[in-house]
Amino acid sequence: MNTVKVGKVDDIKKLVQKYYPEVVELRRYFHIHPELSKKEFNTQKKIIEVLSTLKELNVRKAGGTGVIADLKGKKSGNGRTIAIRADMDALAIDDECDKPYKSQNKGACHACGHDGHMAMLLGVVKILYDIRDEIDGNIRFIFQPSEEEVADGSGADAIIKDGGLDGVDAIIGAHLWQPVKIGTVGISAGPMMGASDEFEISIQGKAGHASMPQQAVDSILTASEVVVALNTIVGRDIDPMKQAVVSVGVFNSGRVYNAIAGEAILKGTIRTLDEEVRKQVFIHIKKIVEHISEMTGAHCKIKKNTCTYVVDNDPKVTSIVLEAGREMVGHKAHPISPFMSSEDFSYYLQKIPGCFIFVGVGNHAKGIIYPQHHPKYDIDEDAMVYGMEVMSNAALKLLEKF
């Protein structure tokens, strides 16, 4: 049984090195066997299998295919509970990483780093379990399903509804992030990732023969004008000092080359870091679609689906996490600029204070150059060392200071 003193940097580092080889093996296992959102059954089974070796953990299934494990410190006099979260699901793309741990599940790939997130958190569980005699408080480990596919229900929301935040005072999470260089840990207060809204625009025109456009209402032409006009919102309708993204990712219309299509469907995303900007963007989308449709004689329907909120890091929690990070990696832990990507970690931050950090995995020397969601995406596995060090120390610091 270890007798490590809480907060001793060297001891945490030794435990990280002790478990690092196993963490690498786990990460590669998860990469070989990815599972899509709400289908993480074998992933859940593997996590429970690993956690079941730690007899004093309270482990249960949660949120459908997720897992929650509670560790009670032996010095649990203050009664505080800190949660640490990792996401579990893969993306619906084919893996092209060409490594021995390439995905064996066709149409599924851990191209966002969730394999590393799970492996890191399992490492953190073992590190903190080893020093449980010295922990004053409780730590909850959340393995959350369905982060990628939130339109049909966020995995974070499912965890919350299943009592995942009951009794929790603060929560932390980490993302392995390719735009950040290896060795760097980004820890910033305030808005760090964008709110995400999904929109669908249906343009109803009038079908006709391509040689007689005067008898038709061209839905493709109308939709094309809409797409062009939507790109003026960020540059002209929104305060240039505010950040926003409006992107159309789907344009479906027509089947026959010599016919004018009667319907066109557009689907896209809105990303914002400010709730007022979020409202204004959709108001402008609606105005553009309605005015262009009226001009061309088409009819339109617009739907919006809220996917995530802004990941807004609590200042007090973040200051403690940054202190913990600097104890482990020095000034390589520092604030960074926000990203317009989205994360359903934001659901937790709607309920309790927390901090989401970015662990750099980008390394050109090792060929780690492909961004998240690319079929060739991979990580520099050394980054998991930094992630485990910072999260382990941050949990202990939060129990002490928050």
Side-chain angles (χ1 to χ4, degrees):
M1 179 65 207
N2 277 291
T3 56
V4 180
K5 291 184 179 180
V6 172
K8 289 191 69 176
V9 171
D10 289 344
D11 292 321
I12 292 174
K13 286 182 176 289
K14 286 176 184 176
L15 287 170
V16 169
Q17 291 302 318
K18 173 184 175 181
Y19 289 113
Y20 176 67
E22 182 181 351
V23 167
V24 171
E25 286 183 16
L26 285 166
R27 182 258 163 171
R28 294 182 180 185
Y29 173 88
F30 292 131
H31 199 94
I32 291 169
H33 306 287
E35 294 179 297
L36 302 180
S37 300
K38 299 180 178 66
K39 299 179 181 178
E40 307 95 331
F41 300 105
N42 289 326
T43 305
Q44 181 188 57
K45 182 179 177 182
K46 179 67 173 179
I47 290 169
I48 291 173
E49 176 187 308
V50 174
L51 294 176
S52 66
T53 63
L54 308 176
K55 301 303 181 184
E56 293 184 34
L57 280 183
N58 182 10
V59 182
R60 68 181 177 94
K61 295 179 180 179
T65 47
V67 180
I68 288 176
D70 286 308
L71 174 64
K72 187 177 178 65
K74 295 299 180 70
K75 291 185 175 180
S76 45
N78 67 36
R80 284 191 290 270
T81 299
I82 302 300
I84 315 175
R85 171 269 203 174
D87 37 14
M88 301 165 59
D89 53 332
L91 287 157
I93 59 177
D94 288 321
D95 191 353
E96 298 177 10
C97 78
D98 295 325
K99 298 287 178 63
Y101 47 81
K102 181 177 179 179
S103 169
Q104 294 179 2
N105 295 346
K106 187 173 177 58
C109 172
H110 271 299
C112 200
H114 297 187
D115 50 347
H117 299 171
M118 291 183 283
M120 281 195 303
L121 187 52
L122 287 169
V124 171
V125 173
K126 295 200 170 197
I127 291 162
L128 297 179
Y129 186 86
D130 276 1
I131 60 172
R132 63 193 183 279
D133 283 355
E134 298 297 326
I135 293 177
D136 186 3
N138 309 299
I139 301 172
R140 176 165 296 168
F141 306 98
I142 298 174
F143 296 85
Q144 179 213 301
S146 191
E147 186 276 329
E148 296 290 355
E149 292 292 336
V150 299
D152 295 328
S154 157
D157 192 42
I159 289 288
I160 292 167
K161 289 175 179 175
D162 213 354
L165 294 185
D166 291 358
V168 176
D169 296 284
I171 186 167
I172 58 175
H175 208 309
L176 296 169
W177 204 242
Q178 183 274 333
V180 178
K181 290 182 180 178
I182 183 72
T184 302
V185 182
I187 306 172
S188 304
M192 278 308 300
M193 298 186 82
S196 173
D197 295 303
E198 180 185 297
F199 63 85
E200 179 177 328
I201 301 166
S202 172
I203 305 290
Q204 299 293 330
K206 182 181 178 182
H209 197 287
S211 68
M212 294 177 280
Q214 76 280 7
Q215 295 182 358
V217 176
D218 193 334
S219 65
I220 291 180
L221 179 60
T222 303
S224 297
E225 291 184 13
V226 167
V227 171
V228 173
L230 291 180
N231 281 278
T232 68
I233 292 174
V234 174
R236 289 293 178 265
D237 296 318
I238 299 300
D239 183 343
M241 300 304 291
K242 303 285 188 179
Q243 290 179 280
V245 172
V246 179
S247 295
V248 175
V250 174
F251 190 141
N252 288 333
S253 185
R255 295 182 180 178
V256 181
Y257 81 97
N258 61 351
I260 291 175
E263 181 183 46
I265 302 294
L266 303 174
K267 294 181 182 180
T269 186
I270 305 165
R271 305 296 173 94
T272 52
L273 292 169
D274 180 279
E275 282 299 322
E276 185 57 34
V277 172
R278 186 180 197 176
K279 295 173 187 174
Q280 288 299 315
V281 169
F282 190 71
I283 288 171
H284 288 297
I285 289 176
K286 191 170 183 291
K287 187 188 301 181
I288 285 169
V289 175
E290 289 176 348
H291 286 185
I292 291 176
S293 296
E294 182 181 2
M295 182 178 66
T296 63
H299 298 282
C300 63
K301 292 181 181 178
I302 310 167
K303 294 191 296 184
K304 185 184 80 164
N305 181 43
T306 296
C307 298
T308 64
Y309 305 95
V310 175
V311 174
D312 195 354
N313 285 343
D314 178 79
K316 183 178 179 181
V317 174
T318 302
S319 68
I320 296 169
V321 174
L322 181 58
E323 178 188 346
R326 285 183 168 162
E327 285 184 356
M328 303 309 301
V329 300
H331 287 288
K332 290 182 178 179
H334 57 73
I336 57 174
S337 298
F339 300 95
M340 296 307 286
S341 304
S342 64
E343 241 284 354
D344 75 351
F345 188 83
S346 59
Y347 280 75
Y348 302 120
L349 299 182
Q350 294 286 305
K351 303 291 184 181
I352 60 172
C355 178
F356 196 62
I357 70 175
F358 298 86
V359 180
V361 298
N363 191 339
H364 280 248
K366 291 185 179 180
I368 309 300
I369 58 175
Y370 296 100
Q372 253 85 4
H373 294 211
H374 191 286
K376 292 180 183 283
Y377 175 82
D378 201 1
I379 69 169
D380 183 339
E381 292 174 328
D382 289 345
M384 296 191 292
V385 169
Y386 304 109
M388 286 188 288
E389 287 179 350
V390 173
M391 284 196 291
S392 297
N393 199 32
L396 300 175
K397 285 281 182 191
L398 285 166
L399 284 176
E400 177 189 347
K401 294 190 171 187
F402 184 68

